[in-house]
Amino acid sequence: MPAAGDAVLLLRLAGPLQAWGSRTVVNQRETGAEPTKSGVVGLLAAACGLARADLLDELTALRLGVRVDAAGTLMRDYHTVSDYRGRPLLQAGVSAKGVQRPTSPAKHTHVTARYYLQDAVFVAALAGPRAVLERLDRAVRAPVYPLALGRRSCPPTQPLSLGVHGGSVEDVLREHPWQASVRARERHLDRVGRATEAEGPYRPARVPRPVTIEDPYGTDVVKDVPLSFDPLGRAFTERWITRDWYEIPTGFPPVESPAESPPHDTATATGTATETATDTAIDASSETGSGPYDAPTGHDPFTLLW
């Protein structure tokens, strides 16, 4: 139960590209299947104008829940790195004097890979004192520094803030409407309707979506809580989480029963249905929201992403 005076700040994390990496190696930058707490805290810190060496205790104390409204698709971006002066690249290691030596044999180009989520939509819920969340809400709407979805090259779309709400993280994530676009919602439901052999348009009042809730009694642990963003002393600690599925409002009006539907020409209706089915089949491979979260499988979503 939330403490007296607590509330929930909702953020809609959506954009053409997102990248939520929990670990980085020299030549490969990965992304997780959903936002990390370090990424969300970093976004809020930028909105508030905090320096990298500033304390993050107020932000990391907020309880985080993430709902996957559209899982998006994985994209691999090809990069090369070279010295603009034409000099050989330096080795990753350093000498006893702390000096990097040139590569031997000389290497002038380094290939790297960066992974992103395309067209994903998440709803992040942060629970804490209402006064703190209202201040963060104002900061997100008028940020000091540019905001990004994990990396600087990933700006968010609007609206970013969905306001401050009363209740618990669980209740707010269950009752806030589905944030995927209308087209993405329709495509997802049409695909589910075909799989279940539903008659007519499949437009239920609620639909299951995956959630990850910060929970001291959770069953999984992730190391994504930032202690410091200082470049000379970056540090992270762990938190426990629980993964679940919530039935959330789809935002579609109830479908009329056949008796209440106005009469219509059978030939026209048949032609429309055929065209719709053909269009859906053509676009099935690029449906927004398709991915590891579209059906509960019992597998780790981070593994399924790859």
Side-chain angles (χ1 to χ4, degrees):
M1 295 295 292
D6 279 11
V8 174
L9 171 63
L10 277 186
L11 300 177
R12 179 178 178 271
L13 305 177
L17 296 176
Q18 305 186 37
W20 306 100
S22 56
R23 65 187 183 92
T24 300
V25 294
V26 175
N27 63 337
Q28 182 166 299
R29 300 190 68 182
E30 300 177 355
T31 178
E34 60 189 34
T36 58
K37 187 160 188 177
S38 60
V40 176
V41 168
L43 183 148
L44 295 174
C48 295
L50 297 183
R52 286 187 172 271
D54 288 347
L55 294 177
L56 302 171
D57 296 352
E58 186 178 60
L59 300 179
T60 56
L62 301 175
R63 183 176 177 230
L64 175 66
V66 174
R67 192 179 77 193
V68 182
D69 283 17
T73 56
L74 187 66
M75 184 189 82
R76 177 182 182 271
D77 195 15
Y78 175 86
H79 283 256
T80 59
V81 179
S82 59
D83 192 311
Y84 72 96
R85 297 163 294 185
R87 299 178 181 177
L89 297 175
L90 301 178
Q91 298 179 16
V94 297
S95 67
K97 297 181 179 179
V99 177
Q100 287 180 279
R101 298 191 180 95
T103 52
S104 180
K107 187 176 182 180
H108 291 83
T109 303
H110 188 68
V111 177
T112 69
R114 300 184 183 185
Y115 292 87
Y116 299 89
L117 295 177
Q118 300 178 102
D119 301 323
V121 180
F122 305 99
V123 174
L126 295 135
R130 178 175 287 273
V132 173
L133 297 179
E134 289 178 346
R135 175 162 51 82
L136 292 175
D137 182 39
R138 293 191 296 270
V140 168
R141 296 174 188 272
V144 176
Y145 299 125
L147 305 183
L149 302 176
R151 292 185 196 149
R152 292 181 182 179
S153 58
C154 305
T157 57
Q158 297 296 323
L160 177 56
S161 174
L162 299 176
V164 178
H165 305 258
S168 66
V169 169
E170 292 84 356
D171 292 340
V172 174
L173 288 180
R174 275 194 183 95
E175 297 305 324
H176 202 80
W178 201 359
Q179 292 301 301
S181 68
V182 174
R183 185 178 182 185
R185 284 180 279 158
E186 289 177 343
R187 284 179 149 183
H188 175 79
L189 294 178
D190 287 342
R191 186 170 65 253
V192 174
R194 291 195 303 272
T196 58
E197 299 182 351
E199 296 184 3
Y202 181 68
R203 298 293 182 268
R206 289 181 174 268
V207 66
R209 296 311 300 162
V211 296
T212 300
I213 305 291
E214 191 170 330
D215 182 0
Y217 303 103
T219 55
D220 294 334
V221 63
V222 290
K223 190 174 183 178
D224 67 349
V225 182
L227 299 177
S228 173
F229 287 133
D230 188 341
L232 300 179
R234 291 173 63 91
F236 299 86
T237 188
E238 299 174 340
R239 65 187 176 113
W240 288 91
I241 58 172
T242 295
R243 301 186 190 277
D244 203 348
W245 289 76
Y246 286 176
E247 297 274 347
I248 68 169
T250 62
F252 290 115
V255 178
E256 294 181 350
S257 64
E260 298 174 350
S261 302
H264 57 279
D265 183 71
T266 304
T268 303
T270 303
T272 303
T274 304
E275 292 172 3
T276 302
T278 304
D279 177 68
T280 303
I282 292 173
D283 295 334
S285 62
S286 60
E287 289 181 351
T288 301
S290 62
Y293 287 114
D294 279 340
T297 62
H299 295 290
D300 182 357
F302 291 90
T303 302
L304 289 174
L305 180 65
W306 301 100

